Amino acid sequence: LVLASPTRADTLLAAMSRERATTCVSAPAVFEQLLNASALQRTDTSSLRLIAYAGSPMPARTIARTSRNPSRNGSSLATPKW
């Protein structure tokens, strides 16, 4: 379990990679920050198996972007590598 507060995209991405996070639960605004972070291109997110959101509706464009933005290892933020 990794808790990040305050949520900053670069520190959250670093923690996800370092701890080999398998699940990420956050608000849609945080996913938008992650997708906009330049660090995403340098971050290994291959351990992620599930992302979930709560607190507000997830914009359709954000959902679409989660599967189109590859990280360093070629995986996307939301597409698991089985």
Side-chain angles (χ1 to χ4, degrees), residues 23-49:
T23 304
C24 180
V25 180
S26 200
V30 173
F31 287 109
E32 196 63 38
Q33 290 174 9
L34 293 173
L35 290 166
N36 290 330
S38 61
L40 179 60
Q41 301 304 317
R42 301 182 306 273
T43 303
D44 182 356
T45 60
S46 63
S47 63
L48 281 176
R49 298 290 180 251

Side-chain angles (χ1 to χ4, degrees), residues 13-30:
L13 286 167
M16 289 171 140
S17 180
R18 181 182 63 250
E19 302 298 330
R20 306 289 301 148
T22 58
T23 304
C24 180
V25 180
S26 200
V30 173

